[in-house]
Amino acid sequence: RGKDEKYKVRMPKFRMVREYKNKRRSIDDVERNSFKFKKSSEEKSKKMEKEEKLFRETFMYDKEIRVLATATAGCSVPSQRRADLPVTAGEQLDVIDAVQGHAVICRNAQGRYGYVLVEHLNFR
């Protein structure tokens, strides 16, 4: 027993190092999350640009895209044509342009554009 204890080296417990590791892990997680956020926002902006390009080609729209008003959809309406924007009840839409007739060009939260009938919208 005496010999075993003589050669046995006791290592102190490094509690500070473990706490530092845990703290560092949480900091790394936060940094990783922020990178994910930036990545998703980049993807979202690319998707929005793609939708805008498609909108300009489909509607032959050369003017600057400006939001004239904000409206909410009164009821859910599926799209009848490719140019129509499908809306759900309570969805917020940006009115981009008022065209002749009873339809306006709107943009939804996902960045899609299309015609929506004025009778389906509630303006504030």
Side-chain angles (χ1 to χ4, degrees):
R1 190 173 152 181
K3 284 184 178 179
D4 292 339
E5 286 183 8
K6 189 176 181 182
Y7 294 108
K8 194 174 185 181
V9 178
R10 293 188 182 192
M11 296 295 292
K13 292 184 179 180
F14 295 111
R15 289 187 181 138
M16 292 298 286
V17 172
R18 195 175 290 160
E19 289 173 6
Y20 177 70
K21 265 187 185 176
N22 291 339
K23 189 175 183 181
R24 186 157 182 206
R25 265 190 212 138
S26 66
I27 291 171
D28 288 344
D29 290 342
V30 169
E31 288 175 0
R32 285 188 190 119
N33 288 341
S34 66
F35 289 135
K36 285 180 186 176
F37 176 74
K38 288 178 183 176
K39 186 176 179 183
S40 67
S41 65
E42 286 177 15
E43 290 173 1
K44 199 171 189 179
S45 66
K46 286 181 182 178
K47 187 175 180 182
M48 292 285 246
E49 287 175 12
K50 185 179 175 184
E51 289 288 342
E52 184 179 331
K53 184 179 177 184
L54 184 70
F55 162 69
R56 288 187 182 279
E57 289 173 359
T58 306
F59 292 88
M60 292 179 263
Y61 197 81
D62 297 331
K63 299 183 264 181
E64 179 185 349
I65 296 175
R66 290 185 308 160
V67 178
L68 302 176
T70 304
T72 55
C75 59
S76 297
V77 181
S79 62
Q80 302 294 325
R81 304 174 295 167
R82 184 173 178 236
D84 291 340
L85 181 66
V87 293
T88 56
E91 184 178 10
Q92 290 236 332
L93 302 169
D94 296 330
V95 177
I96 303 299
D97 196 5
V99 229
Q100 297 172 353
H102 298 284
V104 291
I105 297 175
C106 293
R107 175 178 60 197
N108 64 6
Q110 288 80 33
R112 293 196 58 210
Y113 294 85
Y115 289 116
V116 179
L117 293 176
V118 175
E119 57 202 43
H120 299 301
L121 298 176
N122 296 326
F123 294 93
R124 293 182 183 177

